[in-house]
Amino acid sequence: ELQGRLPATKGDTLAYTYIIEDMKRSGLKPGYNGKWLQDFKFVSNINIVKSEFSWGEGDKLFPGTDFVPVDKSGNGMTDAEVAFINYGISAPDVKYDDYSTEIEGKIVFAMLGYPDIKGKDLSGHGSIDKKIQVARDKGAAGLVLFASPEDQTMPLRKPRYTVGSGTGGIPV
């Protein structure tokens, strides 16, 4: 009946309206500049416009069949050199860094996940969010993530709103 709670949905409106009315009945007063609700920005929808990924002499990949933009992808187009950087991890805390080459202004290619290296716990550095943050902070023009040849189990998925979605600041 309430249809879930994703932002800007009917279920969301029903839920916050119920909560506000319950707080009013309890004698509470609004706390945010005299209002019950606070405005905030979020990604509510992702639309893939006409796009393609190409390199070389006309080799092209197309969204939905060959690749899927990540839900935290920034908007933009770029024409830049590419740099392959293994897993795209920079972890000074365990003395591991895939960024041994200059990547500023380049499109970074990195494998999903993290390597299994004895004595080094890289699990906290293998998330997509972390890879986006590191590539962006190091000046990458874009990021392409792919499954390693040993792990081809990740199916393409449609980009969607997820809690915490926002832009990573670079096309991914």
Side-chain angles (χ1 to χ4, degrees):
E1 169 185 340
L2 293 179
Q3 304 173 6
R5 308 291 186 282
L6 288 177
T9 63
K10 181 179 178 184
D12 176 49
T13 302
L14 290 170
Y16 74 67
T17 300
Y18 173 83
I19 293 167
I20 289 170
E21 293 305 316
D22 192 52
M23 289 191 294
K24 287 178 181 177
R25 282 189 299 276
S26 297
L28 298 173
K29 303 282 185 220
Y32 179 72
N33 295 328
K35 299 188 305 186
W36 290 102
L37 301 176
Q38 180 177 351
D39 294 331
F40 62 95
K41 295 180 181 181
F42 69 98
V43 176
S44 64
N45 194 13
I46 297 171
N47 294 315
I48 301 173
V49 295
K50 181 181 176 188
S51 66
E52 61 188 39
F53 183 80
S54 61
W55 69 95
E57 299 297 320
D59 295 322
K60 294 180 181 179
L61 299 175
F62 297 94
T65 55
D66 301 312
F67 74 93
V68 178
V70 173
D71 55 358
K72 292 180 178 18
S73 179
N75 293 323
M77 295 179 62
T78 186
D79 183 6
E81 291 182 30
V82 298
F84 172 70
I85 54 162
N86 292 323
Y87 287 90
I89 293 174
S90 183
D93 56 319
V94 292
K95 296 181 175 75
Y96 181 91
D97 198 346
D98 285 330
Y99 286 88
S100 60
T101 184
E102 178 59 45
I103 59 96
E104 188 162 348
K106 295 181 181 178
I107 300 170
V108 171
F109 277 67
M111 291 182 284
L112 292 163
Y114 55 92
D116 183 15
I117 299 174
K118 187 176 180 177
K120 294 188 188 272
D121 180 10
L122 296 170
S123 60
H125 300 277
S127 73
I128 290 174
D129 289 352
K130 186 70 172 175
K131 290 173 190 265
I132 293 170
Q133 175 190 355
V134 171
R136 180 197 62 224
D137 291 351
K138 290 191 176 281
L143 176 62
V144 176
L145 298 168
F146 62 95
S148 72
E150 294 82 31
D151 181 16
Q152 295 295 315
T153 61
M154 297 193 66
L156 293 177
R157 64 177 177 81
K158 181 181 180 198
R160 59 183 169 39
Y161 168 81
T162 56
V163 174
S165 282
T167 179
I170 59 174
V172 182

